[in-house]
Amino acid sequence: AMLKQLPSRLISKDSAAPPSTCTICQDSMQPGDTCSSIHCGHPYHRECLVQWLQLHNSCPLCRVAFQPPTSA
């Protein structure tokens, strides 16, 4: 349930500096893709990050521990 609360954004053609590659799947991020990140800020395809966090408790790139979003 908490993974559904991950912030996400749609990459648009007009993005000033779109993320280049999802380091989980190694595919390029393209306009129309949805990306997410945890609090360290490293961007991934949303579906890749959700699958990763179901198996691991850290960022795949910097290994910072995942902290679930808090409800305000």
Side-chain angles (χ1 to χ4, degrees):
M2 62 187 139
L3 294 179
K4 292 182 181 184
Q5 297 175 4
L6 284 173
S8 63
R9 71 180 176 99
L10 186 64
I11 300 172
S12 70
K13 286 184 186 180
D14 302 327
S15 294
S20 58
T21 302
C22 173
T23 58
I24 298 172
C25 71
Q26 300 295 310
D27 284 342
S28 297
M29 292 197 203
Q30 304 293 325
D33 289 348
T34 301
C35 70
S36 289
S37 63
I38 61 174
H39 60 282
C40 61
H42 294 116
Y44 306 99
H45 290 120
R46 179 173 179 78
E47 58 275 5
C48 295
L49 184 58
V50 168
Q51 288 178 12
W52 176 269
L53 291 173
Q54 288 172 342
L55 300 173
H56 308 280
N57 191 28
S58 62
C59 172
L61 192 60
C62 70
R63 303 294 184 207
V64 68
F66 170 61
Q67 297 173 357
T70 55
S71 300

